[in-house]
Amino acid sequence: MKARIWGARGSLPVALNHKQIRSKLVTALEGAIGRNLDTPEKVASYIDNDLGFDVRGTYGGNSSCVEVEVWDPDAVHEHIILDLGSGVRALAGAKLARYGPAKPQTYHVFMSHLHWDHIMGFPFFTPAYIPGNRIIIYGCHEELETAFRRQQEPISFPVGFHQLGATIEFVRMEPGVPLRLHDVTVTAKLQLHAGDSYGYRLEQGGKAMVYSTDSEHKLDNAAERLAFVEFFRDADLVIFDAMYSLADSISVKADWGHSSNVVGVELCQLAGVHQLCLFHHEPIYDDAQIARVLAETRRYAEITGEAPLEIVSAYDGMEIEL
């Protein structure tokens, strides 16, 4: 099982601006002073080994989209996608580059919820326009199909839903009732978020990952806290909504439907999770701020945890092997 991040941002896509790019260049060039970087090999080594990820790369700007690779892609032409934020456009390009338009594919899409940042990539999901493809969209919301049809109405988009060439299906799930896809079990859980949100636990061959974004956790709700600990129990990976600081999540941004890095660590520690991936990054955070949050989260986990918890921060293009 492998998780591949195509969109790590929350609320809306963002892009690096000229000031941020200049800041990265200044930091990199200042760090290069006196290093005698006179060969391509030395330059590459400096970039890869001496610069922090927030300088040499970027956490990205696409809104939520995660692919879960569970089957041999050369043998089984079926794919699992979690949410259809703007990151799904790049996912579509990768699939078309690999398979071309002539080989029909099936895409199983599980929707956490129907807010725009999580469905906005669908009109640009090229496989939806290709006859022979099959796209099955799963979710727990009654308005599941309505949301996708509505955003492609003429006032919002020039291509109507009826013009899509692929076969599009919608499947309602019930929270707590496992759904079976070949050898993969998918279970949904209700989360606290405006209009409701649902997390997903995927299990296959003794491996388990949880996708839990757009979920607020009230610190005084012990029963709900325990329910999430059980939902996360012994997962190899939890992709977790860590949009806010703890202070923000319980004060100025309480009831905004998101969580914090601190709560993510505590839930994962209680559940015996192996790896925590911080996800749904605040759009006003630049790369340096996200890197600081990651460092602070790792320090907090070291201080509070008895068992080791690996912590990473999601970025567009990241792959996590379970």
Side-chain angles (χ1 to χ4, degrees):
M1 185 181 290
K2 178 189 292 184
R4 187 174 290 115
I5 310 292
W6 293 97
R9 287 280 178 174
S11 296
L12 77 165
V14 296
L16 288 172
N17 60 43
H18 70 285
K19 290 183 179 179
Q20 292 168 333
I21 294 173
R22 183 182 184 279
S23 177
K24 288 175 182 285
L25 289 171
V26 169
T27 299
L29 291 172
E30 288 178 346
I33 295 173
R35 289 178 178 267
N36 192 31
L37 303 179
D38 55 357
T39 69
E41 293 75 19
K42 289 180 181 179
V43 171
S45 178
Y46 167 63
I47 292 172
D48 294 338
N49 301 314
D50 297 311
L51 294 178
F53 179 78
D54 58 309
V55 177
R56 71 174 185 270
T58 180
Y59 288 94
N62 280 309
S63 64
S64 303
C65 181
V66 176
E67 177 188 2
V68 185
E69 189 175 288
V70 291
W71 305 299
D72 180 354
D74 293 319
V76 180
H77 293 172
E78 298 189 38
H79 316 278
I80 293 178
I81 302 172
L82 306 171
D83 278 334
L84 292 167
S86 63
V88 81
R89 185 183 66 86
L91 185 159
K95 297 305 177 191
L96 286 173
R98 178 164 190 163
Y99 301 109
K103 293 182 180 179
Q105 308 289 313
T106 296
Y107 297 89
H108 301 277
V109 180
F110 293 86
M111 297 301 306
S112 65
H113 64 307
L114 304 175
H115 287 163
W116 187 46
D117 54 319
H118 291 254
I119 66 172
M120 67 192 317
F122 183 72
F124 304 94
F125 185 51
T126 314
Y129 295 84
I130 300 174
N133 285 334
R134 186 183 180 201
I135 302 172
I136 309 171
I137 301 175
Y138 305 81
C140 299
H141 291 83
E142 183 178 348
E143 308 89 348
L144 185 64
E145 182 172 352
T146 300
F148 282 89
R149 289 184 174 275
R150 186 175 61 184
Q151 79 166 338
Q152 294 200 220
E153 290 178 355
I155 197 171
S156 301
F157 199 74
V159 181
F161 193 90
H162 68 282
Q163 294 175 276
L164 300 177
T167 298
I168 315 291
E169 304 168 37
F170 294 90
V171 176
R172 285 283 304 280
M173 292 180 65
E174 290 294 332
V177 178
L179 181 147
R180 190 80 171 175
L181 291 178
H182 303 298
D183 60 341
V184 178
T185 300
V186 185
T187 307
K189 175 172 173 42
L190 177 64
Q191 304 178 137
L192 179 61
H193 191 74
D196 291 338
S197 173
Y198 296 87
Y200 291 97
R201 181 181 176 103
L202 291 82
E203 298 172 283
Q204 180 201 45
K207 296 291 185 180
M209 70 159 284
V210 173
Y211 177 74
S212 178
T213 190
D214 294 71
S215 178
E216 185 168 2
H217 298 270
K218 298 294 186 181
L219 300 183
D220 58 352
N221 191 332
E224 191 61 24
R225 182 182 183 86
L226 179 60
F228 271 94
V229 169
E230 291 307 314
F231 189 59
F232 291 1
R233 179 69 66 191
D234 296 326
D236 297 279
L237 171 67
V238 170
I239 298 175
F240 186 83
D241 178 349
M243 188 170 184
Y244 301 141
S245 68
L246 179 61
D248 280 348
S249 68
I250 63 176
S251 57
V252 295
K253 295 180 180 178
D255 302 320
W256 284 28
H258 299 284
S259 191
S260 72
N261 57 332
V262 170
V263 172
V265 168
E266 292 179 348
L267 290 174
C268 287
Q269 287 175 336
L270 289 169
V273 170
H274 299 157
Q275 186 173 19
L276 166 64
C277 180
L278 307 179
F279 186 73
H280 206 270
H281 304 310
E282 165 65 60
I284 65 171
Y285 285 3
D286 61 15
D287 291 316
Q289 287 172 296
I290 294 173
R292 284 194 293 271
V293 170
L294 175 59
E296 292 167 0
T297 308
R298 285 172 170 169
R299 285 196 295 270
Y300 178 76
E302 289 174 1
I303 294 169
T304 59
E306 296 181 4
L309 173 64
E310 184 178 353
I311 302 172
V312 296
S313 194
Y315 60 83
D316 295 6
M318 178 183 235
E319 294 187 354
I320 304 174
E321 189 84 43
L322 276 64

